Amino acid sequence: MAVLVALGAFLMTLAGGWTAQRVTDRRHLVLGLAGGLMLGVVGLDLLPEALKAAGTEVFGVPAALLLFVAGFLLAHLVERLLAARQAAHGGEEPHGRAPEVGLTAAGAMVGHSAMDGVAIGAAFQVGGGMGAAVALAVVAHDFADGFNTYTLTSLYGNARRKALAMLFADAAAPVVGAASTAFVTIPKVVLGGYLGFFGGVLLYLAAAEILPEAHHEHPARSTLLCTVAGVGFIWLVVGVAG
């Protein structure tokens, strides 16, 4: 059952990537929506789950929040190092961005999707009701994952074939993750730490890269509305799944 649900997530991820690909003539709206989806996933989904799962504190601060900040800083550091290395070699990347950052970010999305599959499998081990609730949340927000994976890879100047390859990897990841639960159980604390760290990476990309780019050439009200709609969609998904 978990693998069958993960196949639904596979199709939703592809649908999200297809949507991002088809509306390139409205690039600012795509980026505005992607930024809102990412912000919603971080603030309304990843962080609450991370704080529940990794409840331990380090010097008075929840470990999940420390890893959240670490993820944000690491994303910033990696981007700066890659950009500096490319500049030192005389390379000119589109809009001053290193393509490797887009591939790394998309790779993180693939890892997150694999963890979604693990969550589906683990939930069905607990019970059918729990499995159905988690499956609903994962399948719904995998549309956003596919949308963001394609957008991130393309935004940093990678070729279309690379964006499509990352999209298919992201779509297949939940199926692999769900199948793996027959053999592996991930400790709750480790899962919570991972969610916090990944949330920090996503927030950096949304706040420092995607949203500024969305409003750079088209500071229109429609772009802002797309961002708000992205956050609202994730809120709806979280509310229905809860």
Side-chain angles (χ1 to χ4, degrees), residues 54 56 67 69 74 78 105 118 129 141 148 151 159 170 176 205:
T56 56
L67 287 166
V69 173
L74 181 64
V78 168
V118 171
H141 95 246
N148 289 335
T151 302
D170 189 44
V176 175
L205 293 172

Side-chain angles (χ1 to χ4, degrees), residues 36-88:
L37 290 170
M38 293 168 72
L39 178 59
V41 167
V42 172
L44 307 178
D45 187 15
L46 294 182
L47 270 184
E49 288 298 322
L51 288 170
K52 280 193 291 185
T56 56
E57 292 189 353
V58 180
F59 288 105
V61 179
L65 289 183
L66 287 175
L67 287 166
F68 172 78
V69 173
F72 187 98
L73 292 175
L74 181 64
H76 176 61
L77 177 63
V78 168
E79 185 191 33
R80 291 298 89 208
L81 287 176
L82 288 173
R85 187 187 70 177
Q86 194 136 347

Side-chain angles (χ1 to χ4, degrees), residues 125 177-184:
Q125 289 178 5
S180 72
T181 56
F183 313 100
V184 178

Side-chain angles (χ1 to χ4, degrees), residues 96-237:
R97 292 184 168 87
E100 295 92 339
V101 174
L103 291 175
T104 301
M109 295 295 294
V110 172
H112 174 58
S113 293
M115 296 302 294
D116 280 347
V118 171
I120 292 174
F124 272 103
Q125 289 178 5
V126 173
M130 174 67 73
V134 172
L136 175 63
V138 169
V139 171
H141 95 246
D142 269 354
F143 178 88
D145 284 353
F147 191 98
N148 289 335
T149 298
Y150 186 88
T151 302
L152 280 169
T153 311
S154 302
L155 177 64
Y156 283 82
N158 290 286
R160 181 173 177 270
R161 60 180 177 79
K162 290 186 177 180
L164 289 174
M166 296 307 298
L167 174 63
F168 275 98
D170 189 44
V175 181
V176 175
S180 72
T181 56
F183 313 100
V184 178
T185 301
I186 298 178
K188 192 176 180 181
V189 174
V190 174
L191 181 60
Y194 163 79
L195 292 175
F197 182 83
F198 180 64
V201 173
L202 273 192
L203 182 63
Y204 176 81
L205 293 172
E209 296 294 326
I210 289 182
L211 289 177
E213 179 68 16
H215 292 275
H216 176 61
E217 296 179 0
H218 298 275
R221 231 176 300 179
S222 56
T223 307
L224 179 59
L225 288 175
C226 282
T227 302
V228 174
V231 175
F233 173 74
I234 298 300
W235 187 12
L236 177 65
V237 169

